Amino acid sequence: MIGVVFFTWTFYTIDEQQMFPDFYTHLFDNVKRGEQIYGALNSAQVFLEAVMMGVVPLLMRKIGVRNVLLLGFVMMSARILGTAVFSDVVALSVVKMFHALEAPLCILGCIPILHNSLQFCLVSDALPGTVPSHIPTRSDSYITPAGRPARSSR
């Protein structure tokens, strides 16, 4: 699932940053007015995205990491489908705001899984020429895949 996120995110970002703004601004009679409205919409999206970066960790603890990632993919699918179906400026503006919800869901949902998969050692424990005093295991993660805090085995 992580590979899908990283592979598709590149193409998705190209659409988000290059293709969608051009499409959106040309829906207006005056392209300058479309650029102004798109700028305000994009600013609101960035603010909502920052708020969601604080909410998603709480959601991960409540419903679990896997469900957060699945919710992110549902939001992404709804957004892609919405941009294909709607041609109204208001509907597309609402669909654009889905990105503020899905980006934190997908990005923050990957972090605990990467942490568990790669089993990072602390830099201070892995200095050159030394043996780490503790090698992390799956139970050392801050949030388990089920979304509950893990107990430390130290």
Side-chain angles (χ1 to χ4, degrees):
M1 188 179 288
I2 301 281
V4 171
V5 171
F6 288 133
F7 180 73
T8 59
W9 205 264
T10 304
F11 299 107
Y12 186 71
T13 303
I14 290 170
D15 175 65
E16 172 67 24
Q17 294 176 354
Q18 295 177 9
M19 300 167 79
F20 186 78
D22 185 56
F23 168 70
Y24 186 83
T25 56
H26 283 89
L27 293 174
F28 292 86
D29 294 332
N30 184 354
V31 175
K32 289 287 186 192
R33 180 71 178 142
E35 289 172 357
Q36 289 174 341
I37 292 175
Y38 182 79
L41 183 66
N42 203 37
S43 297
Q45 175 196 324
V46 169
F47 178 76
L48 183 59
E49 206 169 300
V51 169
M52 288 301 295
M53 288 287 189
V55 173
V56 168
L58 303 173
L59 188 62
M60 276 195 287
R61 289 182 185 268
K62 184 81 172 166
I63 68 171
V65 174
R66 190 191 78 180
N67 291 334
V68 163
L69 275 174
L70 290 173
L71 183 60
F73 283 126
V74 167
M75 295 297 293
M76 182 184 289
S77 300
R79 182 167 187 270
I80 292 170
L81 182 64
T83 56
V85 171
F86 299 117
S87 61
D88 179 49
V89 174
V90 175
L92 284 171
S93 299
V94 170
V95 168
K96 168 92 171 106
M97 295 304 285
F98 284 0
H99 182 74
L101 304 174
E102 79 190 45
L105 289 169
C106 290
I107 292 170
L108 293 179
C110 290
I111 292 172
I113 294 174
L114 284 174
H115 175 74
N116 287 343
S117 298
L118 300 177
Q119 297 183 356
F120 290 114
C121 293
L122 295 174
V123 174
S124 62
D125 283 345
L127 293 174
T130 63
V131 177
S133 62
H134 175 71
I135 297 174
T137 62
R138 283 181 104 33
S139 64
D140 289 334
S141 65
Y142 293 108
I143 300 174
T144 64
R148 292 181 219 71
R151 293 190 180 114
S152 179
S153 60
R154 288 188 188 186

